[in-house]
Amino acid sequence: MDHPSAALLVLQQNAYWTSAIANLAELFAVHGETARGRASDYAEVYAGRRGSMVIDVVASRQRKYIGRVLKIVDRWEAASPDTTLLTLAESGIDARTYGLQDAEATTIRAVATNLSGFGSTMGLNDNEACKTWADQCGGVEHAPSLDPVVGSVKGIGPALFAYMRMRSGSSAIKVNIRVRKSLRSLGFRVPDSDHATMVVARVAGEAIGIDLLMLDQLLWHANGSTDT
């Protein structure tokens, strides 16, 4: 590594760092190609279905993904004329029908409205709008409320902000209990803070030469994590 970041220079002074990085590198040696493939395909899951993407992201908070979230998405798609941001923005989603909280339904509609308007203003289709948005707002990942499109919507915190960017095609990591637990299982000291978790994750990825999205996918293999 030619030019280590200032944060890496700080964190590598910790006694735990060398062994934790060795554990992460070992995990990458075993599961790196799987993580790389999953990261490569991550944004394509919702290509042409960006309304569904917004529902997925907001509904993912504190729900089992396969058992609950994907079923909500499937039901909405079956009942909707299409899966665009504009359709979701115009029609919204009924909280009671889909087992959502009223506040979640409000968040979903607001995000779809903002992303649809963002794309319309810039002359972009849904896929292009989401990717452009995701790439341009990486600099406010620690303060998502500064982003007027998605981060400022009530109900979107750092974890959902990162997840929306990941599904939109940008490199980020969904800072949640799973990520924190996985990093700790490898030997990293991670305080109970989304911001601290994000810093440790970013620097750990830097140390072994992978981006945040690939690290996120790699950490599914740590400590018996599952995505159910």
Side-chain angles (χ1 to χ4, degrees), residues 116 118-126 128-129 132:
S116 178
F118 175 80
S120 178
T121 298
M122 300 187 68
L124 304 173
N125 64 36
D126 279 5
E128 294 166 342
T132 300

Side-chain angles (χ1 to χ4, degrees), residues 65-211:
Y65 188 68
I66 294 175
R68 291 287 306 282
V69 176
L70 291 184
K71 288 182 178 179
I72 291 170
V73 172
D74 287 345
R75 286 185 62 198
W76 180 76
E77 290 189 339
S80 179
D82 60 55
T83 56
T84 63
L85 292 170
L86 182 59
T87 290
L88 183 57
E90 291 180 340
S91 302
I93 184 169
D94 183 71
R96 190 166 300 179
T97 298
Y98 294 96
L100 298 167
Q101 298 175 12
D102 288 341
E104 291 176 316
T106 299
T107 298
I108 286 169
R109 190 169 193 174
V111 170
T113 299
N114 289 356
L115 279 172
S116 178
F118 175 80
S120 178
T121 298
M122 300 187 68
L124 304 173
N125 64 36
D126 279 5
N127 290 334
E128 294 166 342
C130 289
K131 181 65 163 66
T132 300
W133 164 77
D135 286 345
Q136 77 174 22
C137 63
V140 297
E141 60 187 355
H142 287 281
S145 63
L146 296 176
D147 164 47
V149 180
V150 173
S152 61
V153 175
K154 186 175 181 180
I156 300 293
L160 295 190
F161 187 69
Y163 185 34
M164 193 79 73
R165 293 183 62 234
M166 291 159 65
R167 283 298 187 198
S168 294
S170 195
S171 179
I173 190 165
K174 187 179 181 183
V175 283
N176 55 17
I177 293 173
R178 187 265 305 180
V179 167
R180 194 170 296 125
K181 181 179 178 182
S182 296
L183 287 169
R184 287 172 176 168
S185 75
L186 294 169
F188 294 96
R189 186 178 69 81
V190 187
D192 291 325
S193 158
D194 288 342
H195 299 296
T197 304
M198 200 179 300
V199 171
V200 173
R202 183 178 295 282
V203 177
E206 176 191 350
I208 68 167
I210 63 175
D211 67 18

Side-chain angles (χ1 to χ4, degrees), residues 57-58 75 117 214:
V57 171
V58 177
R75 286 185 62 198
M214 193 180 303

